[in-house]
């Protein structure tokens, strides 16, 4: 496993990391014992960065992850969670106030059975008033950082433009990392346009959703996927091409997502320990760059076609 530092945080993390959203049954139902075993497998195989949120499964992911973390020495992993996006009884809610952010951190620590958080993120800032994020949410988290309750502060979003705006309007050193998804995958490498900006501001980069929320999978995009049909179809053709080469597109997508050393880590999520093993094996093999170029040629004018968050 390759390890990279997230910006200037001192956190040297595995290039492939464990996203715990699946522990909340976000994508499909899970067996809790299997999910906990998936966490153990990830740690045992050298993955040392875990990302979660109170929003995933409306607190369930943090609760299940907390059961696993009780059994793992604290120095074996870096833990990332979030504030701002929540939910109760199947209803999504948002609250980016400083007061709620502070309360949320302590609630998360209780669910996760830890006494500090390595990285706290403002979750999906496109749903917030960005001025509130800059003037209220982030200052509340920086105060917790000063107290040692959290070690580092970051922001997350689908929209790269929002991440850039918040960094530009915050004091230097406030934002230490960004988490962006679906913009460094086989069908969309828009994140590369922003690497110079983030690095110039000392901000580390976390990538997520290497399969582009299912577009780059043999199963195909789920019915709820917000991508336009033209992109769905282009990715389906790319899947078929990889199958004809006996090279699963999931393998190529995982390998591509961890191939850029300027991106500290890529998150993938699975509550299945066998899938964790499989994806680690994928990224430990050399990538077929010729096949990458062939796939991107097939995707063609649908490269970088994006969608709104939801």
């Amino acid at each position: 496993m390759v390890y990279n530092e997230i910006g200037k945080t001192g956190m040297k993390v595995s290039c492939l990391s464990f996203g715990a959203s699946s522990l909340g049954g976000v994508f499909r139902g899970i067996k809790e014992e299997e999910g906990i075993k998936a966490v153990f497998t990830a740690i045992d195989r050298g993955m040392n960065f875990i990302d979660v949120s109170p929003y995933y499964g409306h607190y369930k992911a943090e609760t299940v992850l907390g059961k696993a973390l009780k059994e793992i020495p604290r120095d074996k992993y870096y833990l990332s969670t979030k504030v701002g996006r929540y939910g109760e009884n199947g209803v999504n809610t948002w609250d980016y106030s400083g007061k709620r952010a502070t309360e949320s951190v302590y609630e998360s620590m209780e669910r996760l059975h830890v006494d500090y958080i390595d990285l706290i993120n403002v979750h999906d800032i496109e749903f917030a008033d960005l001025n509130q994020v800059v003037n209220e949410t982030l200052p509340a988290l920086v105060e917790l950082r000063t107290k040692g309750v959290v070690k580092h502060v970051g922001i997350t979003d689908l929209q790269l433009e929002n991440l850039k705006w918040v960094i530009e309007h915050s004091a230097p050193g406030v934002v230490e990392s960004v988490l962006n998804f679906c913009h460094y995958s086989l069908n969309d490498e828009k994140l590369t346009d922003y690497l110079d900006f983030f690095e110039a501001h000392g901000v580390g980069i976390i990538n997520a959703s290497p399969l582009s929320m299912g577009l780059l999978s043999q199963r195909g995009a789920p019915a709820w996927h917000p991508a336009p049909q033209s992109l769905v179809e282009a990715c389906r053709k790319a899947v078929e091409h990889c199958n004809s080469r006996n090279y699963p597109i999931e393998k190529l997508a995982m390998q591509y997502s961890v191939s850029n050393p300027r991106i500290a880590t890529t998150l993938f999520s699975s509550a299945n320990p066998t899938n964790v093993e499989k994806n680690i094996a994928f990224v430990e093999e050399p990538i077929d760059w010729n096949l990458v170029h062939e796939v991107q040629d097939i995707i063609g004018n649908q490269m970088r076609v994006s969608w709104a968050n939801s």
Side-chain angles (χ1 to χ4, degrees):
M1 185 75 74
V2 173
Y3 296 83
N4 306 302
E5 185 177 356
I6 300 177
K8 302 185 182 218
T9 63
M11 292 190 289
K12 204 163 184 188
V13 299
S14 47
C15 64
L16 188 67
S17 295
F18 189 84
S21 57
S22 56
L23 300 183
V26 173
F27 307 111
R28 58 191 66 86
I30 70 154
K31 294 178 181 171
E32 191 172 294
E33 302 78 15
E34 240 192 14
I36 291 170
K37 189 179 176 187
V39 179
F40 294 159
T41 302
I43 298 294
D44 289 344
R45 288 297 310 275
M47 295 169 72
N48 70 343
F49 184 73
I50 302 171
D51 177 77
V52 71
S53 167
Y55 170 68
Y56 300 149
H58 295 171
Y59 309 111
K60 182 180 176 184
E62 284 192 332
T63 302
V64 175
L65 177 59
K67 293 179 182 179
L69 295 183
K70 279 199 293 187
E71 309 300 322
I72 302 172
R74 187 63 179 89
D75 62 357
K76 290 284 188 185
Y77 61 89
Y78 295 109
L79 179 62
S80 162
T81 191
K82 307 181 182 77
V83 302
R85 195 170 185 186
Y86 311 99
E88 295 280 2
N89 302 317
V91 178
N92 296 336
T93 60
W94 294 264
D95 187 340
Y96 294 89
S97 67
K99 179 176 181 292
R100 182 69 189 104
T102 301
E103 292 169 350
S104 180
V105 170
Y106 286 103
E107 291 167 8
S108 288
M109 288 196 299
E110 194 170 323
R111 282 188 291 269
L112 292 162
H113 302 289
V114 295
D115 55 11
Y116 68 91
I117 302 289
D118 295 286
L119 175 62
I120 191 70
N121 299 279
V122 187
H123 196 177
D124 285 347
I125 59 174
E126 70 186 83
F127 292 105
D129 174 345
L130 296 185
N131 284 294
Q132 183 183 30
V133 171
V134 169
N135 297 314
E136 188 176 347
T137 326
L138 284 170
L141 300 182
V142 167
E143 186 177 338
L144 292 177
R145 184 173 68 188
T146 303
K147 293 176 178 176
V149 176
V150 303
K151 303 296 184 186
H152 305 284
V153 173
I155 52 177
T156 89
D157 205 359
L158 172 66
Q159 310 296 342
L160 286 153
E161 298 82 358
N162 291 338
L163 299 173
K164 182 173 184 281
W165 191 95
V166 168
I167 291 166
E168 288 174 329
H169 291 81
S170 298
V174 167
V175 177
E176 297 174 84
S177 69
V178 293
L179 192 165
N180 180 250
F181 55 102
C182 294
H183 288 311
Y184 195 75
S185 54
L186 286 171
N187 61 293
D188 189 332
E189 20 60 15
K190 185 179 178 183
L191 179 55
T192 58
D193 294 352
Y194 290 77
L195 297 182
D196 288 348
F197 172 83
F198 293 139
E199 289 172 354
H201 288 77
V203 174
I205 303 153
I206 301 166
N207 177 42
S209 202
L211 304 186
S212 207
M213 294 173 11
L215 282 173
L216 303 170
S217 69
Q218 294 176 79
R219 179 180 293 178
W224 51 260
H225 201 293
Q229 192 56 38
S230 53
L231 174 57
V232 173
E233 180 61 20
C235 289
R236 188 188 62 76
K237 289 177 181 173
V239 170
E240 291 171 357
H241 181 70
C242 288
N243 284 343
S244 74
R245 296 294 186 86
N246 294 315
Y247 200 119
I249 198 165
E250 293 91 343
K251 176 179 178 178
L252 192 69
M254 285 288 174
Q255 292 173 325
Y256 181 79
S257 71
V258 302
S259 66
N260 192 326
R262 298 173 73 185
I263 297 170
T265 189
T266 292
L267 295 161
F268 87 99
S269 190
S270 177
N272 182 325
T274 303
N275 284 342
V276 173
E277 290 273 10
K278 182 172 69 176
N279 283 295
I280 292 170
F282 284 164
V283 303
E284 290 177 342
E285 291 183 35
I287 187 170
D288 183 338
W289 283 107
N290 288 330
L291 186 55
V292 168
H293 300 318
E294 290 168 10
V295 162
Q296 293 185 330
D297 284 345
I298 289 168
I299 294 171
N301 65 7
Q302 295 303 300
M303 285 291 295
R304 295 189 174 216
V305 169
S306 194
W307 54 83
N309 205 346
S310 58

